[in-house]
Each structure stands twice: as structure tokens, then as C-alpha cells.
Amino acid sequence: MALAAEKDGKEELDLGFIRSAILSGNTWALTWQFPGIPTDDTDPRIADETAEILGMWSYIEHSVRQLSPADKAQLEKDAYPFDLEFSGFDGNHDEHHGVASFMINELGRFSEFRGRQLNSHTQSSLPSYRRMLLIYNEEVRSRGLTAGSLSAESILKIVKPA
């Protein structure tokens, strides 16, 4: 986290976090952690889109875990060959990879993905996630899912192209 413990009644900035954000080119994280600090390195839309994709995958994975064993087995069969777990972004060609890594490992967000391989090794990941995000947002909107889980039917609709 970017704020360290109080010293003499004042909060101190975590200079290690600030240094890490600057040196890794993730200056967008400074704006996230300290609203009002302008940055211009990484397009903030990439950070926002990355957070949306990670949020979607977090909800999908949570929903899969809530299914009965029989429903999960059927979903895995119906979704094949598509994944029911987040497989990362292309580490060689996609800025989202570095942003996701920084969000997870430095900002402490989306901790369920910590320790995972975040490199999908394919440029098709981002277009797939963008397609999925459109369907996911429609599913959440149309079903009014503010709590609870996605159904197996909704998950299949999101992860498997029509």
C-alpha cells in the first residue's frame, strides 16, 4: 500500500511504492492511489479496462466455485475448449499485462490472481476479453446481479462465443 504507518502523527508516503510505479512505467497507479496526481505515461483507459476485465474474471471464477459439482462438470464440458479461469494477457504485445501485474502485486487489488501466471502468450486474449466484457455487462444489467453468482447458463454465454 502507498501510505505507510504514521510517524509523529503524520502519514508517510511509501516511497518504495512510488519508486516502483515510476520505474515500471505504471504511473497510472499513482493516480489510483493518490487521486488528483496527474500522470501521462499509460493511457488511464488501459488501467480502467484492465480493472474491468479483472473484475469480470473475479466474478466469473467466484460464480464457477458456487456451482454444484454436477453443474460445474457440465459447464466445463459445454465451455470446452474455453477457459473458466483467467489466463492473463499477452506479456509481449499487450500493455494490459503489465498493468494487471502491477494492480495485483503492487496495489494489492484482485488478490485472488496473486501468484498466477499472468502471461497468456497469445494476442487473442484481449479481443476475447473485450467480447466477453460486453456480454458480461449485459448479463449483469439484464439480470440485476448485484450480489450472488452468475448461473452456469450466464457463464457459458460469456466465455463461449456464439
Side-chain angles (χ1 to χ4, degrees):
M1 292 298 147
L3 291 178
E6 288 189 16
K7 182 178 179 182
D8 299 326
K10 296 180 183 177
E11 290 181 339
E12 289 189 353
L13 296 177
D14 180 349
L15 297 180
F17 171 83
I18 294 168
R19 183 180 301 109
S20 178
I22 292 169
L23 294 177
S24 66
N26 288 296
T27 56
W28 57 268
L30 297 173
T31 302
W32 276 44
Q33 201 67 13
F34 307 109
I37 294 178
T39 61
D40 61 358
D41 286 359
T42 299
D43 186 336
R45 293 175 294 192
I46 292 173
D48 292 343
E49 183 177 47
T50 302
E52 285 184 66
I53 291 168
L54 292 173
M56 171 187 69
W57 271 110
S58 179
Y59 198 41
I60 290 170
E61 289 187 15
H62 164 78
S63 297
V64 169
R65 287 190 302 273
Q66 302 307 307
L67 295 173
S68 70
D71 287 344
K72 183 178 178 184
Q74 184 63 47
L75 177 60
E76 288 171 346
K77 181 180 175 188
D78 293 344
Y80 183 82
F82 298 95
D83 293 326
L84 297 176
E85 287 189 353
F86 177 62
S87 60
F89 296 96
D90 184 8
N92 293 322
H93 303 99
D94 188 351
E95 284 183 88
H96 293 76
H97 176 267
V99 171
S101 179
F102 200 85
M103 281 181 182
I104 294 164
N105 297 311
E106 298 295 328
L107 283 175
R109 305 213 180 169
F110 306 104
S111 59
E112 63 270 32
F113 302 125
R114 184 180 284 271
R116 284 199 197 173
Q117 171 60 259
L118 297 175
N119 189 349
S120 66
H121 301 285
T122 177
Q123 292 182 34
S124 66
S125 297
L126 183 58
S128 294
Y129 298 156
R130 286 176 172 159
R131 176 200 56 79
M132 290 172 62
L133 199 55
L134 293 171
I135 298 166
Y136 168 81
N137 286 333
E138 182 56 38
E139 283 296 299
V140 170
R141 218 179 0 265
S142 70
R143 298 181 187 271
L145 299 171
T146 55
S149 302
L150 294 163
S151 68
E153 177 186 339
S154 290
I155 296 167
L156 184 61
K157 190 184 291 187
I158 294 164
V159 300
K160 189 172 185 177

